Amino acid sequence: MSRVIVNRVRKGLYLDSVALMRFSRSIAGLAGVEEAALMMGTPANLGILVEAGLLDGAGEHAKGGDLVIAVRARDGDSADAAVAKAGELLDQPRLTRGETAAWRPRTLRAALNQVPEATLALISVPGDFAAAEARKAIRRGLDAMIFSDNVPLADEVALKREARDLGRLVMGPDCGTAIINGVPLAFANRVPSGAVGIIGASGTGIQEVSCLIARNGAGISHAIGVGGRDLSEAVGGISTLRALDMLARDPASERVVLISKPPAPEVSARVLEKLSGIGKPATVCFVGAPPMAMPANAVQAFTLREAALRSVGVSGETPPPALPPVPTIAPGRREIRGLFSGGTLCAEAQAVMLAGKIAVASNAPIPGAAPASTGAAESLLLDMGDDSYTRGRPHPMIDPEVRDDAVRQAMADPSVAVILADIVLGFGAHGDPAGHLARAVRAAGGAERALLIASVTGTEADPQIRSVQIAKLEEAGILVAPSNADAARWACEAVQR
Amino acid sequence: MSEMSEKPKTELLDRPLMVVNIGLESFAADLRAEGAGVVHVDWAPPAAGDPELAALLAKLGA
Amino acid sequence: MNDIAGRIETANREALGRMIAGDPVLVDVIPAAEAIPSLQDRMILHAGPPVDWERMCGPMRGAVAGIAVFEGWAPDLETANRMAGEGAFDFRPNHHFDAVGPMTGMTTISQPVMVVENRAFGNRAYCTINEGLGKVMRFGGNDAEVLDRLRWLRDGFGPAMGRALRSGEGIPLKPLVARGLTMGDEMHQRNVGCTGLMLRALSPAMAASAGDLDGLARALAFIGGNDQFFLNIAMAMGKAIMDPVRDIEASTIVTAMSRNGTEFGIRVSGTGDTWFTAPVEMPEGLYFPGFTEADANPDMGDSTIVETVGLGGFAMGAAPAVAGFVGAGTASEAANFTRSMAEITLGENPEWTIPAMDYRGVPSGIDIRLVVETGLAPTINTGIAHREPGIGQVGAGVVRAPLACFHQALRAFADRMGVS
Amino acid sequence: MAAVSAHEPVSAWRDGQFSFAVRTIGGIAARLLSHTGRGRVLAVFGKCFYVELEHGLLCVGAEGFTLGPLNLITSAPASTRWLESGVRVGDAAVLGGGVLRVGHRFRFRLDGAAEWRPAYSGISGHPSALREGLQRFRLACAGVAPAEGLGRLIFDDTAAGPRSPVIDRGRVAIRLLDDWLDQVLRDPDMPTAQEPEGLNLLMGLGPGLTPAGDDVLGGMMIAAHALGEEAVARRLWRCARPLAEKAAGPIARAHLAAAADGMGADGVHRAIDAILRGRAEDFGSVIAGIDAIGHSSGWDAMAGVTRFLEASFHAREAWDARMMGSAELRHHLAGEFLQPLDRARQIAAVTADQEML
């Protein structure tokens, strides 16, 4: 029966022996506690604690003026509970000195009293409260960005209809990325300001396009996230239409890019009709959609990469870089396994593969791709940011651990030829996602293994610094493609060779 | 609540961004680091999360 | 649904307007029977929402026995106690008779009451004279010394102060309180500034209308020696300001907060005369040397009418010395109490400003919807009385109004508005 | 500000501050308070709180608090609980103009305070009085000394009674110190090289704010001063001081330093006085005085005192025997006070007592 010893040292705490005695007895009586002592940390007393088998590493360095709480208990929990109780007993009401805590308003209303010139409410409270907070914001004349997900659809619809009547913009819900007046919000990247205005129904879609634009020497005026369901039939594109109005009037935005999954037919008609009236050249990228009729001022792009290039005037047809020389893939290996933290990046990879005549399945399938559950297709692309993975766990962009198991499984699967992974940088994302993936790959080890191809969505100005992240991936033998679309194309080439 | 209607229409894009951050404190910290105007709200569910009272409050325009 | 919100907003704007427009003036000191015609013989008004003899705390029982002997309804304290138990006295809240009273808050027919008239609306409010420090009726004191002092107030001080006030136009209280705020008073736990200003305002007229010099000297020494003399005037002022704000349909503004040592009660403009009550909480504070929490009586008194108009705990930003005194953190944190109360009030009082907070007005108009939404209950700077009658104050601290009162009020208000 | 309770002089309360008179000041505290200075509150307990000034510590107590070298006895009501009245660790302490200000609430007026120093009533220290006094004291406090701490070392036979690691180590330390004292008292100019072992076992031993072992050493040094053996006290302190610097907190060190100057709690001095005079009737109040000094620290100090007195008695007796050269004298000395019959009963009573303990 393993016994646990826990010590806690309270620096410079004075208690008279009456109190010490009382506390020791009350703790010794707690469930699971075999012996407990509270003594000043003098060498002599430490000697006693050793003899009584009560001293551990923490207690050893106590000095004469410190109080040592020493507990031996049946198990860890009762030991910790006893030490916590001792702490409680010791914490007489102490008024902490220290500088005055700046007052933080408790509600939006109080915040507006403090800062009347506020223009945007960034809301990241739990889903079932987010719509109510957004409603308060738009009624107070603010626009709202709802980062929270799990907002009921009916709430989104009612909220956006009221916003439309009030002439306000609601970004989201589940809007992870936005850039307003050059300021990155939530999970955005630090990109130079410029003439391209982006409207996106997805966070990572905006990040990939804005970073590619930056890498091509241009910049962003604003990036407005409208949330994944805005272009659904139920919502009817209210925020997209509002965003188009805003960019139409915005002098800084000379060109517009619209990114989303294929919208419902009548919604896309309404959106394209509005787009035709903005009086500015536009690029439309409904990832996974077939070729569609575009208004005169608009051109269709089929991948995020193409949309970015077109929006900076580089024609989409420039030949993409070819797959560099790679070791030939073992005959048994046929499958491509995609592990994505970004939903739209997963969609774009599916689009590229379908165009490359490769059968694809996904837990978030685009038109033409098979649902993951059927297992029919050889290649499986997973959107690991999907609710099924993030239930009760942080998003993989925040905590890459979520993806480690899938990487290990894919590395161990003899039928997998290529493993695709996206690395997304920027504010809010993990401090070193590439380093994390590299460690997971090295840990998986194995002499003969699948080809690993990744892309890094980010800029040099991001906290994680894109070039540093690329170096870490290449050190671990991971091939790094210039964009998510290129990585997918390289995977196809590698498998078809 | 009481000065609701007279508030002038603020245009998001044509004036410096000033954010009221309600929820994750890290977003406010990032915004402050970027030099953007932000006030962080120490938010808690209305009526301490009691759904019945919260619903009443909403109907009573709180 | 939106018209409900609109109606509430309009009603609250009216309520806040009346609060700010109030013009309280101290005009007279007259016997309670003359000021309050409905106050009958053997009727004892007490602080707080209604409470009967069985549920009264120690100090209040002591005060009842004492005042019964004072009014001659009982020969001695034991008989008075027995009579009280047998229902010989009619117990009513001060608030039901346009009156307020500190701690036990005894008001009976022959006691002199100070009269504050709200010149903007013509209503009047009344409060007995503050007896001073230590063993006094408001803390349940009822021995000969206490009763003698009450007799002197009835026969000597009261009439003298009344004569002085009647000889002039009365003393406007808003500007006086405004100056008190700049002197570090918050009008609940600290009235030293306003007491001084009141003494300066009263003394010339008291001297001019004085019957004899000894009487005058004793009267002026009585005011000068009691730092809390102005408290009762501030309370009558609070009552005079809030009464016109009562009974505004669809208004969610709190018009009274009060405690009787057993229960804490609030009244709301839009719900008529109903008291919404919950068990009173124990204050957290610091005790005078020699006393500890074990000696404390639960919170008591109508003095929270001061917080209701935005002073006391709401104006803590003006009184850093009080924050330290009531053990509510460091002096520099005093302003946070005012900011916190600004979260549950609809506006600020432009005439009562706090220099240390860049002359921001004290938070005014407590809205029950904001209290329930934020969970921030009104903060009250309260004196702590000894559990035994007649020993007096043993400390001071901060106490929060129980949230349960506000939940009840919100539900009742919603029913009345047909919202469920 | 608000009113003050009836029986507290209103003068104690003025505008948010309590101001009390200091009635008596301990010898060491008086030295600290003789000049201006700043410091802070180091620790707050129920009945007293410690203030750390530049040159040392002082301890502020209410009416009826034990007299002692570091203590200020003030006019604050006896039932005062400093924590509940707002004294906090870290409060600023400012000394100047005859007033000690603590935090923003308290002012202690020093003018007119009496200084307290231990006083002995012409002790002869005659061995026979000393021996009888010791016996009477042990009889009086049999069964009263608490189980915690080292109080039970007052009695010769400590084998009885519940075992504890503290007592075990304490007994070993005391035996070593007894031997050292025995030699140094017999031969004062014993080479100083010989260190009093057992000190490192004793210092910092046992529970309590001032560990029991420190109080025992303190008692020894105080008893040494009482018997005019300042040199022995100095030698003890020279060895114990570095241990105290390293092991003990500032409060324990301050009490030890005072004991090294021969000053301890009033109760200890009264006990020494009564023992040396051998007077019987004082022991009731003496026991109460010892009990009033913190939980066990009064008893721990008396353990040190009795050990030192015992050692000095044996050394004096050996010296007399050597001088007189004959056993009869020893017998004569021993019997002088007690009739032979009483002696037998006397010895039986003492031994019976110890089993009962």
Side-chain angles (χ1 to χ4, degrees), chain B residues 29-52:
Chain B
D30 289 344
L31 283 167
R32 223 168 272 129
E34 285 301 294
V38 59
V39 59
H40 177 68
V41 170
D42 201 357
W43 185 85
D50 175 329
E52 184 230 345

Side-chain angles (χ1 to χ4, degrees), chain D residues 152 158-163 357:
Chain D
R152 278 189 290 112
T158 52
R163 299 289 302 281
L357 216 154

Side-chain angles (χ1 to χ4, degrees), chain A residues 14 17 42-45 48 51 64 97, chain D residues 91 169 203-204 206 208 247 250 295:
Chain A
Y14 290 94
S17 51
T42 60
N45 286 351
I48 290 178
E51 277 160 29
R97 303 261 158 260
Chain D
D91 279 355
R169 281 171 90 88
M203 290 297 296
H295 179 58

